Amino acid sequence: MNTTGWTALRTQWFKDFQLWLFITLTLFFFRLVLITSFSDQIHNDTGFKDILVTLLMGLRFDGATAAFWVLVFFLFSMSCAFIKW
């Protein structure tokens, strides 16, 4: 499918979003594995809310890290509106 214009741009943006989502969820999964692996070292006073806050804060950082890596591909996607790639 060699198209130009908005169709190609929208297709590439969706692929970039999929890559961002994959990277973000992979990092989140590994954080969850680490928390589970080292659960015996977590202080006894730590509750579910504290772990949930940690996971959500980590998700914010994971999203930013994934956006940094996807940015290069996103910029190449912008060229799909003008050039057949």
Side-chain angles (χ1 to χ4, degrees):
M1 181 171 110
N2 282 338
T3 60
T4 58
W6 291 108
T7 305
L9 184 63
R10 186 175 50 240
T11 302
Q12 291 302 317
W13 278 354
F14 182 70
K15 289 179 181 182
D16 293 340
F17 174 73
Q18 286 178 327
L19 178 62
W20 175 84
L21 190 62
F22 174 76
I23 294 170
T24 302
L25 291 178
T26 301
L27 291 171
F28 180 78
F29 173 73
F30 281 113
R31 177 172 289 106
L32 193 59
V33 166
L34 285 173
I35 288 175
T36 305
S37 298
F38 293 105
S39 62
D40 56 336
Q41 296 181 16
I42 296 176
H43 195 272
N44 292 336
D45 293 340
T46 304
F48 178 74
K49 181 182 175 187
D50 297 323
I51 294 174
L52 185 64
V53 167
T54 301
L55 288 173
L56 292 176
M57 181 65 71
L59 189 61
R60 288 178 54 197
F61 288 115
D62 295 343
T65 301
F68 175 76
W69 287 104
V70 172
L71 180 64
V72 174
F73 302 109
F74 177 76
L75 294 176
F76 280 124
S77 296
M78 296 295 288
S79 63
C80 287
F82 308 108
I83 303 169
K84 289 185 180 184
W85 285 72

